[in-house]
Amino acid sequence: MKWITAWRRRPWAGYAVVLAALAIIGVAYAGVSPSSDRAQAAAAAASDQDVAKGKQLFNQACSSCHGANAEGTKNAPSLLGVGAASVDFQVSTGRMPAMNLGAQIPRKKPVFNEEQTRQLAAYIASLGGGPEVPSKDQVNPDTGDAAMGGRLFRANCAQCHNFAGSGGALTGGKYAPPLTKATPQQIYEAMLTGPQAMPVFNDTTLTPEQKRAIIAYVTQTRAEPNPGGNGLGRVGPVAEGLVGWLVGLGLIIIAAMWITARKPKKKHNV
């Protein structure tokens, strides 16, 4: 006890106690919560694993057209710098891998699942540059202004996709596809990357808030009912009027032919 009392009276004893307490607290904190270094190392390991698996998938399904190093060939463009968002859009919509090369590659059932799509996107992104896959908050239509999105859609998109997103024909055998099956993430990625004949709407052309507003308008519009019955794809009043005229006129002609073809009944003398 005398030794402890004498030790406590020394001038550096207080500093030693403080340092010991800090060391104990640091060890305890490291034991109960993961450090940022550990989190970063885990994220890097997961990313490296996705890149490695993505490269295997690319070599199996994509390299024959896009080249062994994604440098492109005469049949397909280079993927260097396109980014993860472009890969996620093309693969998740089933447009890639393409079965037939043509003016327009249609949407079809995806070949790869979500995990494989993420791995392919990670590999292409590792080659350098390009926009990233948007987060769930960025594409959430519930937080978008549908009214503002309607104005932006009519000003920038309706000329090709129709005011209701039903799609339309373009030149050279191309067409603007309907947006009825596109997810909010795919709509955002299409604006961000400009697939096929679509122009690129980067964040300086349309801000993330404006993109989210357009997504809110598209999802709201395609969920609206058709009070008049069959909406005929909502392709516009001209086409709808033409269908109404042809169908109505055809029914009138058929009815007139049926009436005139009826033979009058003969009267029998009593």
Side-chain angles (χ1 to χ4, degrees), residues 202-240:
N202 56 32
D203 288 345
T204 57
T205 305
L206 289 176
T207 65
E209 180 183 4
Q210 291 173 327
K211 290 184 177 71
R212 188 166 59 251
I214 290 176
I215 292 171
Y217 169 75
V218 171
T219 54
Q220 176 181 294
T221 301
R222 67 188 183 189
E224 292 176 350
N226 296 306
N230 192 334
L232 301 176
R234 298 182 179 182
V235 293
V238 175
E240 293 170 359

Side-chain angles (χ1 to χ4, degrees), residues 175-195:
Y175 60 88
L179 304 179
T180 52
K181 295 182 180 180
T183 65
Q185 179 169 313
Q186 291 167 353
I187 296 174
Y188 195 105
E189 290 170 342
M191 289 187 283
L192 200 60
T193 61

